[in-house]
Amino acid sequence: MMEKILVLDFGGQYNQLIARRVRECNVYCEVHTYTKFGVDEIKKFDPRGIILTGGPQSVNSDDFSVDEKIFALDVPILGICFGAQLMAKALSGRVESAPTSEFGRTEIDRIGGSRLLDGVSARSTVWMSHNDRIIDAPRGFKITASTANCPIAAMENPERKLYAVQFHPEVVHTVDGKIIFDNFINLCGCARDWQMKSFAAEKISELRSTIKGRALCALSGGVDSSVAAALMSKAIGKNLTCVFVDHGLLRKNEADEVEAVFKNFDLNFIRVDASKRFLDRLSGVTEPERKRKIIGEEFIRVFEAEAKKIGAVEYLVQGTIYPDVIESGLGKAAVIKSHHNVGGLPDHVDFKAIVEPLRMLFKDEVRAVGRELGLDEKIVSRQPFPGPGLGIRIIGEVTADKIKIVQDADAIFRAELESAGVMSNQYFAALTNMRSVGVMGDGRTYDYAIVLRAVETTDFMTATASKIPWEILSRAADRIVNEVAGVNRVLYDCTSKPPSTIELE
Ligand code: XMP
């Protein structure tokens, strides 16, 4: 039996990070929303430990309730922020609205010994984000840390295996966060045997025994769908056909490059030119969520059509990964964007089942599986490219002319960064819907503005703008306005995520 940690999701924005931290300890975990995962489901899931996440609501609000039997399961529980308050309230402690909210970096002072905080400095920087606070710890709990505004910043009852922190150990700003997760995983008695090597072998044998019949894989050339395709081809061999849809929203020359790579693979490869079909459906559409839904839906329709041509195809394989699932509204966290491979699925799909072999993996885990399967490093380490492609890098209506503009500008920016050896995790050009006045030669222009975006990130949940040297930015800008017709202004996006997102739509 694989050891698992349950992350019970109350809708906080950092919940994926909690899951990442647990996986980094080589322990498998899943995130489940509290409304759909009661005590019976928890028992069936059989976790070694449970983490209660942060959340936007107040534990004192009338429209919120949780089954308090969770705390009697005799499984180690770590409550984080809202999860800590929930634990306090459920076990007859007291939670009240704090006179001053704490947001951002703060210092905790440790108080006495603690199993959870063992190894954390006596004074340590943590990340806080809360309005309420615990003012009375439940009976049997010992207070193990405080801050200037928060007398109970951490508490525990080791006999009952219950631990709580008001701050967020999952974010990098909490300097000793990793130690806290390590301690909790040890308190759960985990052997830490979750590895990508075992994942690949187990997944291939599971797919081999469950997928009986022909499958069609949606191949985009990105790391996710390529790894999904490699896993599937190892599992079902020639029963797999990979369909690469050129929706016309790919980067410059990308369709040819993808075809060149996959033509050499030992699988059935079909390239479909569907660009006109996508452009027609996107005509006149400006709203980002609507564009995402249309592109997602159209993808499925193209696959259905291809499947019919191949005949007797029962399964559709997709490279959906865990952040896609979580960001598309798993819990009560606000839906920021619906990713096309999940949120855009139409109600009616003409396949027996959708197979998503990477659905529970984070990006770096997917890359590790890719390497395990011997995929080309160029594919494995490719920067992410969103499913809806340039459709969400063109603000407002998508037209053939705008696609050409953004493709050319993007190719220039990427070439300049790559030749200068700049290491950003994701970098691209996007086309705004802003036109402004410029002067070229002796004439007035009224053209579009391109936005250049380059970010540093480890998990794509948070990101900061890369500090690109000025000479590189200005060379890219000069080249873009000179070489790309229709552009007379180039802007660099300096915002972090949050409050922005990486893509512009
Ligand atoms: P955002 O814009 O949400 O992007 O900060 C985070 C990461 O996700 C990628 N992204 C997508 N990937 N389908 C995908 O497969 C999508 O619909 C999608 N939307 C955004 C984005 O490129 C970035 O790496």
Side-chain angles (χ1 to χ4, degrees):
M1 281 293 285
M2 181 167 70
E3 57 189 24
K4 293 173 287 191
I5 296 285
L6 168 66
V7 178
L8 202 55
D9 180 10
F10 293 94
Q13 293 290 342
Y14 303 130
N15 298 346
Q16 278 195 57
L17 287 181
I18 298 176
R20 284 298 305 118
R21 298 295 164 256
V22 174
R23 298 255 184 116
E24 277 160 16
C25 297
N26 293 103
V27 178
Y28 181 74
C29 68
E30 288 184 14
V31 184
H32 289 279
T33 182
Y34 79 99
T35 46
K36 298 187 193 131
F37 222 72
V39 167
D40 291 341
E41 284 81 11
I42 295 176
K43 282 186 183 154
K44 223 178 288 158
F45 185 77
D46 191 21
R48 285 288 173 92
I50 302 173
I51 300 180
L52 311 175
T53 75
Q57 60 278 61
S58 166
V59 291
N60 292 324
S61 126
D62 287 339
D63 53 7
F64 174 78
S65 71
V66 70
D67 190 343
E68 293 171 6
K69 289 203 280 295
I70 292 177
F71 298 105
L73 285 172
D74 196 32
V75 170
I77 299 183
L78 170 62
I80 295 178
C81 192
F82 173 86
Q85 295 163 7
L86 191 67
M87 187 183 287
K89 171 112 196 268
L91 301 174
S92 45
R94 265 198 319 148
V95 176
E96 276 185 3
S97 164
T100 31
S101 306
E102 274 185 310
F103 291 102
R105 282 190 185 80
T106 186
E107 305 281 323
I108 53 162
D109 288 310
R110 288 194 49 192
I111 304 167
S114 157
R115 294 204 190 169
L116 185 71
L117 303 184
D118 188 27
V120 171
S121 311
R123 172 165 275 207
S124 186
T125 303
V126 301
W127 184 261
M128 285 283 195
S129 176
H130 65 115
N131 295 310
D132 286 356
R133 62 177 186 173
I134 302 168
I135 50 161
D136 281 333
R139 210 168 315 113
F141 274 73
K142 150 171 130 166
I143 298 166
T144 55
S146 65
T147 72
N149 291 317
C150 184
I152 307 181
M155 62 177 193
E156 65 188 44
N157 181 338
E159 290 72 38
R160 294 189 64 184
K161 305 177 187 161
L162 300 176
Y163 304 87
V165 287
Q166 179 56 67
F167 54 89
H168 288 272
E170 68 276 21
V171 302
V172 287
H173 316 292
T174 295
V175 174
D176 290 327
K178 189 171 175 345
I179 298 176
I180 296 173
F181 278 98
D182 256 335
N183 288 343
F184 182 65
I185 295 300
N186 288 341
L187 290 164
C188 296
C190 291
R192 304 173 183 246
D193 48 12
W194 165 251
Q195 285 171 11
M196 289 307 109
K197 200 187 206 130
S198 43
F199 173 87
E202 278 162 26
K203 200 56 163 182
I204 289 167
S205 92
E206 177 202 312
L207 291 167
R208 197 172 283 146
S209 61
T210 51
I211 309 291
K212 304 284 177 205
R214 286 196 200 159
L216 198 62
C217 179
L219 188 64
S220 71
V223 57
D224 304 340
S225 62
S226 300
V227 174
L231 271 175
M232 284 298 287
S233 81
K234 292 215 185 241
I236 65 167
K238 286 282 188 233
N239 260 349
L240 176 70
T241 300
C242 289
V243 175
F244 167 56
V245 176
D246 178 2
H247 53 17
L249 301 165
L250 296 167
R251 288 168 286 197
K252 192 171 183 174
N253 301 329
E254 189 165 24
D256 293 341
E257 285 164 15
V258 171
E259 182 168 6
V261 169
F262 282 95
K263 274 288 179 198
N264 296 327
F265 276 52
D266 186 24
L267 43 78
N268 301 316
F269 179 88
I270 298 173
R271 171 173 170 178
V272 188
D273 181 359
S275 39
K276 173 154 181 354
R277 186 175 167 154
F278 278 82
L279 256 189
D280 287 349
R281 280 223 49 208
L282 287 169
S283 163
V285 182
T286 54
E287 206 275 314
E289 277 297 285
R290 184 88 202 96
K291 282 158 68 175
R292 283 174 172 274
K293 294 261 163 63
I294 288 174
I295 297 170
E297 219 170 274
E298 218 38 36
F299 249 99
I300 300 286
R301 297 292 164 243
V302 173
F303 284 120
E304 281 176 351
E306 286 307 308
K308 278 209 186 83
K309 282 189 222 155
I310 298 163
V313 172
E314 294 186 50
Y315 301 94
L316 176 67
V317 184
Q318 288 195 312
T320 313
I321 66 170
Y322 210 26
D324 305 336
V325 176
I326 297 179
E327 284 215 346
S328 290
L330 173 84
K332 275 189 120 188
V335 173
I336 310 293
K337 298 173 183 185
S338 47
H339 280 210
H340 92 254
N341 32 10
V342 181
L345 272 184
D347 297 336
H348 172 75
V349 179
D350 212 1
F351 294 93
K352 184 167 134 193
I354 298 212
V355 186
E356 295 172 320
L358 309 174
R359 195 181 166 79
M360 302 311 290
L361 299 190
F362 288 98
K363 196 78 164 191
D364 51 338
E365 294 175 322
V366 172
R367 292 192 210 279
V369 173
R371 289 190 185 101
E372 193 56 43
L373 297 173
L375 275 182
D376 192 317
E377 187 58 34
K378 258 217 309 260
I379 293 180
V380 170
S381 56
R382 218 175 88 140
Q383 63 165 304
F385 184 65
L390 301 181
I392 55 165
R393 290 183 181 171
I394 293 170
I395 309 247
E397 189 185 2
V398 177
T399 63
D401 290 345
K402 288 184 178 176
I403 293 173
K404 170 101 175 70
I405 291 177
V406 75
Q407 277 178 337
D408 289 343
D410 179 68
I412 292 170
F413 183 47
R414 284 190 294 127
E416 287 298 335
L417 288 196
E418 282 158 22
S419 73
V422 173
M423 307 285 277
S424 268
N425 300 108
Q426 193 171 6
Y427 45 96
F428 56 87
L431 180 61
T432 69
N433 55 356
M434 179 189 102
R435 293 171 81 192
S436 62
V437 175
V439 52
M440 262 182 147
D442 287 327
R444 176 187 190 270
T445 56
Y446 187 60
D447 282 333
Y448 285 109
I450 280 283
V451 169
L452 304 179
R453 183 96 168 115
V455 293
E456 310 299 318
T457 174
T458 49
D459 51 31
F460 298 89
M461 292 294 297
T462 58
T464 51
S466 304
K467 296 195 174 87
I468 308 287
W470 184 251
E471 317 77 72
I472 300 170
L473 275 180
S474 70
R475 193 163 52 238
D478 284 347
R479 279 195 59 196
I480 290 169
V481 286
N482 282 313
E483 295 173 34
V484 184
V487 177
N488 67 355
R489 199 172 288 272
V490 176
L491 314 170
Y492 185 64
D493 184 345
C494 305
T495 37
S496 300
K497 172 187 180 177
S500 284
T501 54
I502 296 176
E503 302 290 345
L504 273 68
E505 284 196 337

